Amino acid sequence: MSRITWILGNWKQNHRPPAAEACAKGVAEGLTEALREPHPSAGEVRVGIAPPYLSLAAARPFTRPGHGTWLLAQDVAAQDEGAFTGEVGPRMLGDAGVEGAIVGHSERRAYYGEDDAAVAAKLRSALGGGLVCVLCVGERLEARDAGEHESTVISQLSAAFSDVSPDALDERLVIAYEPVWAIGTGRTASPQQASDMHRTIRAWMRERFGSAGVDRSILYGGSVKPSNAAELVAVGDVDGFLVGGASLDPDSFLAIVRAAATTARPPEAG
Ligand code: PGA
């Protein structure tokens, strides 16, 4: 498989610096063992953590370079700098040794009023600033129940990529499908539901961007645990995970990393 497998931990508003240091250290120390026997169909495997802003510096010594873990932020400003109280721009993140940012997480959309236009601006800001950009999309339960899950996600994608050209897309663009009803609820999408949506997203990316779109990694997020990670990857078209709660403990996060790295994907996935 040519697509990169990513396993990313989104710590949300958890782990103040001492706990962040311990967790990042635990992940770094266990990573070699977790990635010891990858299945060839997993391709290149990358592991990242996204601590809160003020814990990034504590985690930094246990991430790249030196250790294998990538360091990401949970958000990024739509603009590089200026009179924008409370915001942190892409170059500031880069200066702090941060390699990527999550954009459009459903909690930011729901609790902080981030609309599609704001998400689109942040995506352009992250990519333009040289960061890995993890774009989150996903439907609410009402949309799923009404059979509008695909149209909801496609409309989020169309808005986020409204002003992006194919040459702006490379491996730094990662998409995370996170059904809102599965986040923090213990209710995971079935492997088939995840795979079906990932195919829909990939087909849309192919249509919109050609080969630059089709090779992008599409992660699943929403109550991923050591016990369900392998079955989600095994069905095909799931290129890794964005993990919330289960990423707060190095052992459970590393168990998910191991499952994603060692589980065989069906041939021609995607
Ligand atoms: P969860 O969160 O794994 O705790 O469901 C996933 C996310 O919000 O990224």
PDB file of all heavy atoms in Angstrom, residues 96-117:
ATOM      1  N   ALA A  96       8.087  26.151  17.663  1.00  0.00           N
ATOM      2  CA  ALA A  96       8.055  25.325  18.887  1.00  0.00           C
ATOM      3  C   ALA A  96       8.338  23.861  18.578  1.00  0.00           C
ATOM      4  O   ALA A  96       8.186  23.010  19.454  1.00  0.00           O
ATOM      5  CB  ALA A  96       6.694  25.473  19.564  1.00  0.00           C
ATOM      6  N   GLY A  97       8.715  23.583  17.341  1.00  0.00           N
ATOM      7  CA  GLY A  97       9.053  22.211  16.973  1.00  0.00           C
ATOM      8  C   GLY A  97       7.831  21.345  16.679  1.00  0.00           C
ATOM      9  O   GLY A  97       7.917  20.117  16.657  1.00  0.00           O
ATOM     10  N   VAL A  98       6.698  21.994  16.446  1.00  0.00           N
ATOM     11  CA  VAL A  98       5.467  21.253  16.142  1.00  0.00           C
ATOM     12  C   VAL A  98       5.402  21.005  14.642  1.00  0.00           C
ATOM     13  O   VAL A  98       5.651  21.910  13.847  1.00  0.00           O
ATOM     14  CB  VAL A  98       4.235  22.056  16.623  1.00  0.00           C
ATOM     15  CG1 VAL A  98       2.949  21.372  16.203  1.00  0.00           C
ATOM     16  CG2 VAL A  98       4.294  22.223  18.135  1.00  0.00           C
ATOM     17  N   GLU A  99       5.046  19.771  14.272  1.00  0.00           N
ATOM     18  CA  GLU A  99       5.099  19.393  12.859  1.00  0.00           C
ATOM     19  C   GLU A  99       3.740  19.357  12.179  1.00  0.00           C
ATOM     20  O   GLU A  99       3.664  19.183  10.959  1.00  0.00           O
ATOM     21  CB  GLU A  99       5.749  18.009  12.732  1.00  0.00           C
ATOM     22  CG  GLU A  99       7.167  17.989  13.256  1.00  0.00           C
ATOM     23  CD  GLU A  99       7.733  16.581  13.269  1.00  0.00           C
ATOM     24  OE1 GLU A  99       7.458  15.834  14.214  1.00  0.00           O
ATOM     25  OE2 GLU A  99       8.453  16.233  12.319  1.00  0.00           O
ATOM     26  N   GLY A 100       2.680  19.458  12.953  1.00  0.00           N
ATOM     27  CA  GLY A 100       1.370  19.366  12.328  1.00  0.00           C
ATOM     28  C   GLY A 100       0.282  19.897  13.231  1.00  0.00           C
ATOM     29  O   GLY A 100       0.536  20.264  14.384  1.00  0.00           O
ATOM     30  N   ALA A 101      -0.937  19.959  12.697  1.00  0.00           N
ATOM     31  CA  ALA A 101      -2.071  20.452  13.475  1.00  0.00           C
ATOM     32  C   ALA A 101      -3.342  19.731  13.047  1.00  0.00           C
ATOM     33  O   ALA A 101      -3.500  19.373  11.881  1.00  0.00           O
ATOM     34  CB  ALA A 101      -2.240  21.957  13.299  1.00  0.00           C
ATOM     35  N   ILE A 102      -4.215  19.533  14.022  1.00  0.00           N
ATOM     36  CA  ILE A 102      -5.565  19.028  13.744  1.00  0.00           C
ATOM     37  C   ILE A 102      -6.428  20.241  13.393  1.00  0.00           C
ATOM     38  O   ILE A 102      -6.304  21.300  14.010  1.00  0.00           O
ATOM     39  CB  ILE A 102      -6.121  18.304  14.995  1.00  0.00           C
ATOM     40  CG1 ILE A 102      -5.249  17.087  15.333  1.00  0.00           C
ATOM     41  CG2 ILE A 102      -7.573  17.897  14.779  1.00  0.00           C
ATOM     42  CD1 ILE A 102      -5.556  16.469  16.706  1.00  0.00           C
ATOM     43  N   VAL A 103      -7.289  20.083  12.417  1.00  0.00           N
ATOM     44  CA  VAL A 103      -8.140  21.183  11.984  1.00  0.00           C
ATOM     45  C   VAL A 103      -9.581  20.676  11.863  1.00  0.00           C
ATOM     46  O   VAL A 103      -9.814  19.582  11.343  1.00  0.00           O
ATOM     47  CB  VAL A 103      -7.619  21.722  10.624  1.00  0.00           C
ATOM     48  CG1 VAL A 103      -8.700  22.449   9.860  1.00  0.00           C
ATOM     49  CG2 VAL A 103      -6.402  22.608  10.823  1.00  0.00           C
ATOM     50  N   GLY A 104     -10.539  21.443  12.372  1.00  0.00           N
ATOM     51  CA  GLY A 104     -11.951  21.105  12.171  1.00  0.00           C
ATOM     52  C   GLY A 104     -12.467  19.982  13.042  1.00  0.00           C
ATOM     53  O   GLY A 104     -13.470  19.335  12.692  1.00  0.00           O
ATOM     54  N   HIS A 105     -11.830  19.740  14.187  1.00  0.00           N
ATOM     55  CA  HIS A 105     -12.351  18.696  15.079  1.00  0.00           C
ATOM     56  C   HIS A 105     -13.804  19.030  15.449  1.00  0.00           C
ATOM     57  O   HIS A 105     -14.152  20.190  15.637  1.00  0.00           O
ATOM     58  CB  HIS A 105     -11.485  18.589  16.338  1.00  0.00           C
ATOM     59  CG  HIS A 105     -11.818  17.384  17.146  1.00  0.00           C
ATOM     60  ND1 HIS A 105     -12.890  17.349  18.002  1.00  0.00           N
ATOM     61  CD2 HIS A 105     -11.256  16.152  17.185  1.00  0.00           C
ATOM     62  CE1 HIS A 105     -12.960  16.137  18.549  1.00  0.00           C
ATOM     63  NE2 HIS A 105     -11.978  15.392  18.078  1.00  0.00           N
ATOM     64  N   SER A 106     -14.629  18.020  15.589  1.00  0.00           N
ATOM     65  CA  SER A 106     -16.061  18.264  15.832  1.00  0.00           C
ATOM     66  C   SER A 106     -16.303  19.011  17.139  1.00  0.00           C
ATOM     67  O   SER A 106     -17.295  19.725  17.269  1.00  0.00           O
ATOM     68  CB  SER A 106     -16.839  16.950  15.816  1.00  0.00           C
ATOM     69  OG  SER A 106     -16.437  16.146  16.891  1.00  0.00           O
ATOM     70  N   GLU A 107     -15.401  18.855  18.120  1.00  0.00           N
ATOM     71  CA  GLU A 107     -15.581  19.609  19.363  1.00  0.00           C
ATOM     72  C   GLU A 107     -15.370  21.100  19.121  1.00  0.00           C
ATOM     73  O   GLU A 107     -16.033  21.941  19.726  1.00  0.00           O
ATOM     74  CB  GLU A 107     -14.634  19.063  20.450  1.00  0.00           C
ATOM     75  CG  GLU A 107     -15.150  17.725  20.979  1.00  0.00           C
ATOM     76  CD  GLU A 107     -14.075  16.822  21.550  1.00  0.00           C
ATOM     77  OE1 GLU A 107     -12.940  17.260  21.764  1.00  0.00           O
ATOM     78  OE2 GLU A 107     -14.391  15.623  21.772  1.00  0.00           O
ATOM     79  N   ARG A 108     -14.456  21.439  18.227  1.00  0.00           N
ATOM     80  CA  ARG A 108     -14.258  22.855  17.903  1.00  0.00           C
ATOM     81  C   ARG A 108     -15.443  23.379  17.076  1.00  0.00           C
ATOM     82  O   ARG A 108     -15.878  24.512  17.244  1.00  0.00           O
ATOM     83  CB  ARG A 108     -12.932  23.069  17.169  1.00  0.00           C
ATOM     84  CG  ARG A 108     -11.724  22.686  18.035  1.00  0.00           C
ATOM     85  CD  ARG A 108     -10.566  23.631  17.856  1.00  0.00           C
ATOM     86  NE  ARG A 108     -10.935  25.009  18.058  1.00  0.00           N
ATOM     87  CZ  ARG A 108     -10.941  25.628  19.252  1.00  0.00           C
ATOM     88  NH1 ARG A 108     -10.598  24.986  20.351  1.00  0.00           N
ATOM     89  NH2 ARG A 108     -11.276  26.892  19.327  1.00  0.00           N
ATOM     90  N   ARG A 109     -15.936  22.540  16.199  1.00  0.00           N
ATOM     91  CA  ARG A 109     -17.102  22.969  15.408  1.00  0.00           C
ATOM     92  C   ARG A 109     -18.305  23.173  16.331  1.00  0.00           C
ATOM     93  O   ARG A 109     -19.048  24.144  16.202  1.00  0.00           O
ATOM     94  CB  ARG A 109     -17.449  21.911  14.351  1.00  0.00           C
ATOM     95  CG  ARG A 109     -16.392  21.721  13.251  1.00  0.00           C
ATOM     96  CD  ARG A 109     -16.868  20.654  12.256  1.00  0.00           C
ATOM     97  NE  ARG A 109     -15.841  20.165  11.362  1.00  0.00           N
ATOM     98  CZ  ARG A 109     -15.755  20.468  10.059  1.00  0.00           C
ATOM     99  NH1 ARG A 109     -16.618  21.270   9.499  1.00  0.00           N
ATOM    100  NH2 ARG A 109     -14.796  19.941   9.312  1.00  0.00           N
ATOM    101  N   ALA A 110     -18.506  22.254  17.292  1.00  0.00           N
ATOM    102  CA  ALA A 110     -19.719  22.292  18.122  1.00  0.00           C
ATOM    103  C   ALA A 110     -19.630  23.313  19.257  1.00  0.00           C
ATOM    104  O   ALA A 110     -20.592  24.010  19.544  1.00  0.00           O
ATOM    105  CB  ALA A 110     -19.983  20.905  18.708  1.00  0.00           C
ATOM    106  N   TYR A 111     -18.471  23.400  19.931  1.00  0.00           N
ATOM    107  CA  TYR A 111     -18.391  24.222  21.138  1.00  0.00           C
ATOM    108  C   TYR A 111     -17.849  25.623  20.880  1.00  0.00           C
ATOM    109  O   TYR A 111     -18.042  26.513  21.684  1.00  0.00           O
ATOM    110  CB  TYR A 111     -17.489  23.567  22.199  1.00  0.00           C
ATOM    111  CG  TYR A 111     -17.864  22.148  22.566  1.00  0.00           C
ATOM    112  CD1 TYR A 111     -16.884  21.237  22.949  1.00  0.00           C
ATOM    113  CD2 TYR A 111     -19.189  21.721  22.534  1.00  0.00           C
ATOM    114  CE1 TYR A 111     -17.214  19.938  23.289  1.00  0.00           C
ATOM    115  CE2 TYR A 111     -19.519  20.415  22.867  1.00  0.00           C
ATOM    116  CZ  TYR A 111     -18.530  19.529  23.246  1.00  0.00           C
ATOM    117  OH  TYR A 111     -18.850  18.237  23.577  1.00  0.00           O
ATOM    118  N   TYR A 112     -17.120  25.803  19.793  1.00  0.00           N
ATOM    119  CA  TYR A 112     -16.475  27.109  19.553  1.00  0.00           C
ATOM    120  C   TYR A 112     -16.931  27.735  18.239  1.00  0.00           C
ATOM    121  O   TYR A 112     -16.283  28.640  17.732  1.00  0.00           O
ATOM    122  CB  TYR A 112     -14.945  26.951  19.613  1.00  0.00           C
ATOM    123  CG  TYR A 112     -14.543  26.357  20.934  1.00  0.00           C
ATOM    124  CD1 TYR A 112     -14.238  25.014  21.043  1.00  0.00           C
ATOM    125  CD2 TYR A 112     -14.593  27.126  22.099  1.00  0.00           C
ATOM    126  CE1 TYR A 112     -13.960  24.435  22.273  1.00  0.00           C
ATOM    127  CE2 TYR A 112     -14.321  26.549  23.333  1.00  0.00           C
ATOM    128  CZ  TYR A 112     -14.007  25.219  23.416  1.00  0.00           C
ATOM    129  OH  TYR A 112     -13.754  24.650  24.639  1.00  0.00           O
ATOM    130  N   GLY A 113     -18.014  27.222  17.710  1.00  0.00           N
ATOM    131  CA  GLY A 113     -18.645  27.867  16.562  1.00  0.00           C
ATOM    132  C   GLY A 113     -17.802  27.876  15.308  1.00  0.00           C
ATOM    133  O   GLY A 113     -17.989  28.732  14.447  1.00  0.00           O
ATOM    134  N   GLU A 114     -16.892  26.923  15.161  1.00  0.00           N
ATOM    135  CA  GLU A 114     -16.093  26.907  13.930  1.00  0.00           C
ATOM    136  C   GLU A 114     -16.959  26.417  12.781  1.00  0.00           C
ATOM    137  O   GLU A 114     -17.424  25.281  12.781  1.00  0.00           O
ATOM    138  CB  GLU A 114     -14.880  25.978  14.092  1.00  0.00           C
ATOM    139  CG  GLU A 114     -13.750  26.659  14.774  1.00  0.00           C
ATOM    140  CD  GLU A 114     -12.452  25.852  14.709  1.00  0.00           C
ATOM    141  OE1 GLU A 114     -12.305  24.959  13.864  1.00  0.00           O
ATOM    142  OE2 GLU A 114     -11.591  26.134  15.547  1.00  0.00           O
ATOM    143  N   ASP A 115     -17.162  27.291  11.816  1.00  0.00           N
ATOM    144  CA  ASP A 115     -17.974  26.882  10.668  1.00  0.00           C
ATOM    145  C   ASP A 115     -17.070  26.413   9.530  1.00  0.00           C
ATOM    146  O   ASP A 115     -15.835  26.406   9.661  1.00  0.00           O
ATOM    147  CB  ASP A 115     -18.904  28.025  10.231  1.00  0.00           C
ATOM    148  CG  ASP A 115     -18.124  29.266   9.831  1.00  0.00           C
ATOM    149  OD1 ASP A 115     -16.879  29.188   9.689  1.00  0.00           O
ATOM    150  OD2 ASP A 115     -18.758  30.320   9.662  1.00  0.00           O
ATOM    151  N   ASP A 116     -17.693  26.007   8.451  1.00  0.00           N
ATOM    152  CA  ASP A 116     -16.924  25.462   7.328  1.00  0.00           C
ATOM    153  C   ASP A 116     -15.896  26.460   6.794  1.00  0.00           C
ATOM    154  O   ASP A 116     -14.801  26.074   6.397  1.00  0.00           O
ATOM    155  CB  ASP A 116     -17.873  25.048   6.199  1.00  0.00           C
ATOM    156  CG  ASP A 116     -18.579  23.729   6.500  1.00  0.00           C
ATOM    157  OD1 ASP A 116     -18.062  22.937   7.314  1.00  0.00           O
ATOM    158  OD2 ASP A 116     -19.646  23.498   5.914  1.00  0.00           O
ATOM    159  N   ALA A 117     -16.259  27.737   6.789  1.00  0.00           N
ATOM    160  CA  ALA A 117     -15.330  28.745   6.260  1.00  0.00           C
ATOM    161  C   ALA A 117     -14.102  28.859   7.158  1.00  0.00           C
ATOM    162  O   ALA A 117     -12.957  28.979   6.677  1.00  0.00           O
ATOM    163  CB  ALA A 117     -16.033  30.091   6.141  1.00  0.00           C
TER     164      ALA A 117
END
